[in-house]
Amino acid sequence: MVRRSVLFSPGDQPDMMRKADGAGADTVVFDLEDAVAPSRKAAAREAVRGVLDDPEFDPDAEVCVRVSGTGTYRDLEAIVDDVDGAPGFDAVALPKAESAAAVRQLRDQLRERDCVVPVLALVETARGVLNAEEIAAAEPTDALVFGAEDYAADVGATRSDDGTEVLYARESVVAAAAAAGVDAVDTVYTDFADTDGLASETRFAAGLGYDGKLAIHPAQVPVINDAFTPDDDDVEWARAVLDAREAADAAERGVFEVDGEMIDAPLLARAERIRERARAAGIDV
């Protein structure tokens, strides 16, 4: 599963949920948590269930539902119970994940309803960051999602343009995800009108090792997808490296040369990562 762009859509807005799939995001998240006022939770559950049950709703994107931290049981009761066959969604997002036990608890609640889907764990508190390694390693976890705004509020940090106050947490999350072999999805860029800032921020996240980034507006999706798409020079370099590896493997050479550059395991890993991102964008490598 490729998750370059992960677009949130309010769970109490059925028209927006239906349109979200057309934005080109790899994943769309129907949000029953922060995007929905407490007084609207019941209506949101009904709206999400209605969209998921609609036979005309045939999404190209991965569909994920973010459950509410204080009403998870009611959320699952509304969107999973009495579903004939597949539940209509592909994953569940767990807000403010702070332990592996919390991820397993959500898995168990899903299993009670004969629903087995991966969990996207949102790491957005100090405790969550400190426990990111165990959260990533939990069996149901398929991605760690960093939430900078909630994290900053939790530790009492003041948000800045350069993001220094969340850099340690941001790097900790991507390291934990890499160690566990799961996706790492970066935090939102809140100024959805600032496409240049979003592009720069997303390239920085990709440079840190993130696989994707959250979006809060459809206009952000193409900018994020583009930032995670390798340029022509990178694609050509990766193609040359991977082609040369075949000859090196046949000759049983662990290190080889491409255009004057010595290629070893770390650079091979980079070439494979470029290939993966290029294929996600429909580019043949």
Side-chain angles (χ1 to χ4, degrees), residues 58-196:
D58 185 21
D60 294 322
E62 175 188 40
V63 176
C64 177
V65 177
R66 177 161 73 161
V67 294
S68 51
T70 58
T72 302
Y73 184 86
R74 291 189 294 275
D75 294 341
L76 297 181
E77 188 176 48
I79 66 173
V80 180
D81 279 4
D82 301 323
V83 174
D84 183 16
F89 55 88
D90 305 298
V92 172
L94 175 64
K96 294 182 173 60
E98 295 190 332
S99 67
V103 179
R104 290 192 291 266
Q105 182 181 30
L106 176 57
R107 174 204 60 193
D108 293 344
Q109 290 177 317
L110 288 162
R111 284 180 174 175
E112 288 175 6
R113 295 161 175 80
D114 296 322
C115 181
V116 180
V117 294
V119 173
L120 280 58
L122 279 80
V123 178
E124 44 192 348
T125 65
R127 188 178 298 276
V129 169
L130 292 177
N131 291 334
E133 186 175 355
E134 70 167 65
I135 295 168
E139 178 269 330
T141 302
D142 203 49
L144 292 188
V145 182
F146 178 51
E149 305 307 319
D150 282 300
Y151 169 79
D154 190 46
V155 302
T158 301
R159 295 292 275 127
S160 64
D161 290 340
D162 60 14
T164 305
E165 69 285 348
V166 299
L167 184 57
Y168 165 77
R170 205 175 184 188
E171 292 177 329
S172 296
V173 169
V174 78
V182 301
D183 286 344
V185 180
D186 190 41
T187 189
V188 299
Y189 188 78
T190 56
D191 186 354
F192 58 82
D194 180 10
T195 55
D196 290 341

Side-chain angles (χ1 to χ4, degrees), residues 216-241:
I216 55 174
H217 191 282
Q220 293 183 315
V221 170
V223 179
I224 292 172
N225 285 348
D226 183 65
F228 280 105
T229 300
D231 61 25
D232 292 343
D233 289 342
D234 283 341
V235 170
E236 287 303 317
W237 177 84
R239 183 181 289 118
V241 168

Side-chain angles (χ1 to χ4, degrees), residues 3-8 25-27 145-146 148 159 170 184-190 197-206 210-216 220-221 223-225 227-228:
R3 299 185 178 106
R4 297 167 300 171
S5 49
V6 178
L7 174 63
F8 277 78
D26 294 323
T27 299
V145 182
F146 178 51
R159 295 292 275 127
R170 205 175 184 188
V185 180
D186 190 41
T187 189
V188 299
Y189 188 78
T190 56
L198 172 63
S200 176
E201 174 87 357
T202 308
R203 287 192 295 269
F204 180 75
Y210 275 91
D211 301 290
K213 191 168 181 64
L214 298 179
I216 55 174
Q220 293 183 315
V221 170
V223 179
I224 292 172
N225 285 348
F228 280 105

